[in-house]
Amino acid sequence: MYVSFGKKSVAVAVSALTALAVSACGTTSGSGGSNEPKQPSVLELLASDLKGSLQKTAEATNKSDSVTVSMTGTAGGEKVSMRGVLDLGDPVKAEMTTTDPKGDSTVVRMVGAVIYVEIPAEDRSSMDGKRWMKMDLSEAGKQAGMNFGKQFEDIDPTKQVKTLLATEGTKVVGQETVDGTATVHYTVNTPLATHLEQIDAKLRAGVEQQMTKMGVKEITTDLWVDEQYRPRRAALKMGPLGDLVMDYTDYGKAVTVETPPTAETLDFAEMLKGLQGLTASN
């Protein structure tokens, strides 16, 4: 999704966020006598005990304070590229730097259900001098005829774990290395209805409308889990809607994400109402 400010397009490519995995758990080799059978490694358990391992991963996601995420791919025919940090407290917060197809970068913050897009300096004079554009995830999408919530949902690895647990046919692809970290790769083809069940109820109707309109019938979900039961990579293939790859690092690193000052903020919904009023008067 892109919101235009003057000559520049700002990528709004963050997603709804919840807790991610950080705690370490698993089985280590036994240390008894030579006759004691060798215990399976965590990677072996991840590959052999599929449901049990995914359940441990889902449970561990509730114990993370923060994570660094990078996302690349395409969405709605546009390239998506972003990197930033997620504060997984209550409410969930994020600060991401998005890069549009022209190479221009913009900061996007999320605090709970509200996102703030930094307005380029050269465009602020036409925006009452404001630095930030405030948008409610659900209301802004309805008024602008766009769905901002989908990408916010996609970035959350918890959703991918729950999807794999909820869908029959999840398979183990095998052991793979992701950015130097040993992982086990899982994959599943998810019917659209099952995928929608994992999405926040407030955003579900808009996501369903968008995906149905684009002809999406199923989503291929891939997840790479490390030896501490932490998602290291997630990928979605959504047919004509696009494909996304999310990499997760630096679990538990301290982050600070602040709500922009009200005096520096322009409300997107109020701006749309003003534009609609001008159109009606003409």
Side-chain angles (χ1 to χ4, degrees):
M1 316 300 171
Y2 289 88
V3 179
S4 294
F5 293 123
K7 298 180 180 179
K8 300 177 72 176
S9 293
V10 179
V12 183
V14 198
S15 73
L17 310 166
T18 56
L20 311 176
V22 71
S23 63
C25 51
T27 304
T28 58
S29 298
S31 58
S34 59
N35 293 329
E36 184 174 334
K38 180 181 178 181
Q39 298 298 312
S41 68
V42 174
L43 288 175
E44 289 171 337
L45 287 173
L46 283 166
S48 62
D49 182 13
L50 188 151
K51 289 293 184 181
S53 295
L54 288 176
Q55 187 60 52
K56 284 184 179 181
T57 303
E59 293 170 355
T61 58
N62 293 320
K63 300 178 182 179
S64 179
D65 296 322
S66 63
V67 68
T68 296
V69 60
S70 62
M71 182 172 76
T72 57
T74 61
E78 300 285 352
K79 288 185 178 180
V80 174
S81 177
M82 71 173 199
R83 181 176 176 83
V85 295
L86 311 181
D87 177 344
L88 300 168
D90 186 12
V92 173
K93 302 177 182 179
E95 180 164 319
M96 318 298 297
T97 299
T98 69
T99 305
D100 70 16
K102 296 180 181 180
D104 295 319
S105 297
T106 301
V107 174
V108 179
R109 292 182 186 175
M110 183 184 75
V111 179
V114 179
I115 57 175
Y116 300 85
V117 181
E118 188 174 36
I119 300 171
E122 63 267 30
D123 295 322
R124 293 173 192 171
S125 60
S126 62
M127 299 283 179
D128 295 330
K130 306 297 185 182
R131 179 182 174 185
W132 298 92
M133 178 74 76
K134 175 184 177 181
M135 291 182 280
D136 179 271
L137 281 177
S138 55
E139 293 304 318
K142 291 177 183 178
Q143 295 188 47
M146 297 178 288
N147 175 33
F148 298 113
K150 181 67 178 76
Q151 291 177 359
F152 281 75
E153 284 288 328
D154 289 339
I155 206 171
D156 178 13
T158 306
K159 298 293 189 299
Q160 320 314 338
V161 177
K162 290 181 178 179
T163 295
L164 266 62
L165 281 169
T167 308
E168 293 295 329
T170 297
K171 299 177 181 178
V172 176
V173 178
Q175 294 187 24
E176 298 178 9
T177 300
V178 175
D179 293 332
T181 299
T183 70
V184 169
H185 177 188
Y186 303 97
T187 189
V188 68
N189 291 324
T190 309
L192 179 58
T194 302
H195 180 79
L196 291 170
E197 289 174 358
Q198 310 308 319
I199 294 175
D200 189 291
K202 295 179 181 179
L203 303 173
R204 190 175 300 148
V207 173
E208 182 175 13
Q209 181 180 17
Q210 182 187 34
M211 299 188 84
T212 301
K213 181 179 179 180
M214 293 292 292
V216 178
K217 299 184 183 299
E218 68 175 14
I219 295 90
T220 299
T221 302
D222 290 85
L223 188 70
W224 289 258
V225 179
D226 70 13
E227 293 177 279
Q228 294 174 302
Y229 295 95
R230 301 178 300 190
R232 283 294 183 177
R233 174 173 291 168
L236 294 177
K237 295 179 181 177
M238 302 170 286
L241 190 58
D243 58 87
L244 300 171
V245 176
M246 290 75 66
D247 285 332
Y248 304 96
T249 58
D250 296 330
Y251 282 89
K253 184 177 180 180
V255 299
T256 300
V257 180
E258 297 181 349
T259 301
T262 302
E264 297 181 12
T265 302
L266 181 67
D267 193 297
F268 184 59
E270 293 300 321
M271 185 182 74
L272 281 180
K273 288 179 181 179
L275 292 174
Q276 290 168 355
L278 288 174
T279 302
S281 64
N282 292 332

